[in-house]
């Protein structure tokens, strides 16, 4: 149930952003393909370095 609510909220935010961009006459370029090999995380000793992750609702 929580996942469904989070997805619904995310879709609503996305729609608002798209509408605002259109209102302003702005278009975003298509994202390019990654130009390298990336790791989500790297462990060094007792530290875990995390990349590209943000907080999640729930």
């Amino acid at each position: 149930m929580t996942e469904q609510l989070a997805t619904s909220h995310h879709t609503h935010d996305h729609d608002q952003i798209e509408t605002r961009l259109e209102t302003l006459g702005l278009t975003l370029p298509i994202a390019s393909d990654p130009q390298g090999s990336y790791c989500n995380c790297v462990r060094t000793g007792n530290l875990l370095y995390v990349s590209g992750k943000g907080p999640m609702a729930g």
Side-chain angles (χ1 to χ4, degrees):
M1 177 89 173
T2 303
E3 184 177 323
Q4 183 181 11
L5 292 175
T7 302
S8 174
H9 179 72
H10 175 71
T11 302
H12 179 69
D13 288 346
H14 182 264
D15 292 342
Q16 285 183 330
I17 293 168
E18 291 290 326
T19 301
R20 182 67 175 147
L21 288 172
E22 287 177 17
T23 301
L24 295 172
L26 300 173
T27 55
L28 298 178
I30 296 174
S32 62
D33 291 331
Q35 300 301 310
S37 178
Y38 301 95
C39 296
N40 287 327
C41 60
V42 174
R43 181 178 174 187
T44 303
N46 64 350
L47 296 175
L48 184 64
Y49 294 92
V50 181
S51 174
K53 307 296 179 195
M56 295 179 62

